[in-house]
Amino acid sequence: MITGFAVSFIEGPIDLFKSKMQVQVIRAAQGHPPAYRNVFHCGYTITKQYGLRGFYQALGATMLRNVPANSIFFGFYEISRNFWTPEGGSVSDLSSGALLFSGAWGGFFYWFLTYPTDVIKSSMQADDTAKANRKYKSI
């Protein structure tokens, strides 16, 4: 749970910039001028207008996804590693393929069980940067 909480502070701004750039492409197809030249300009513009606090638009939704998602990933990863470990053996004896499969199993359940919360997070991040103009005020 701590991992999901901590990673939200790093992943949140990265996802925010990605979402803003994706929305910009859609808006450009509708005839709106681009707001950002690139992802770095996006970060610069948000910082200039809203300070570092602007980086954390939808932080609550990011945590809502990340805390259970990371717990789910590591839980299923460990269950799978233990399943593939021969009796009397150690997880350090597992092949690369078994470890890869265990990671894939964890990743599958990460997304399968938390995708709805990712939609909420992405919608909130793609929303207007100006708080007064946001469609989604909170989770």
Side-chain angles (χ1 to χ4, degrees):
M1 289 177 58
I2 294 170
T3 303
F5 176 80
V7 78
S8 295
F9 289 94
I10 298 166
E11 182 184 352
I14 294 168
D15 271 356
L16 175 67
F17 303 154
K18 174 194 65 116
S19 295
K20 296 295 185 190
M21 296 299 293
Q22 288 172 332
V23 168
Q24 176 175 280
V25 171
I26 295 166
R27 290 180 49 82
Q30 297 170 345
H32 297 281
Y36 314 112
R37 291 188 299 269
N38 55 45
V39 72
F40 300 108
H41 183 249
C42 178
Y44 171 78
T45 303
I46 290 172
T47 304
K48 188 175 179 182
Q49 291 177 342
Y50 304 100
L52 286 178
R53 192 172 181 165
F55 279 22
Y56 295 102
Q57 179 176 334
L59 180 63
T62 303
M63 288 182 184
L64 179 69
R65 183 201 65 183
N66 282 357
V67 170
N70 281 281
S71 298
I72 289 166
F73 173 81
F74 287 115
F76 278 97
Y77 174 70
E78 287 299 317
I79 289 167
S80 184
R81 282 190 342 157
N82 290 329
F83 177 79
W84 293 111
T85 301
E87 195 168 322
S90 168
V91 291
S92 62
D93 299 331
L94 289 175
S95 68
S96 296
L99 292 173
L100 182 66
F101 182 79
S102 297
W105 191 244
F108 170 78
F109 281 103
Y110 175 108
W111 286 110
F112 181 74
L113 297 173
T114 62
Y115 195 75
T117 58
D118 186 64
V119 172
I120 294 167
K121 175 201 68 76
S122 296
S123 296
M124 291 181 75
Q125 286 180 329
D127 204 358
D128 200 305
T129 308
K131 219 175 193 178
N133 300 334
R134 288 185 190 159
K135 180 178 178 181
Y136 307 106
K137 304 286 182 194
S138 69
I139 298 170

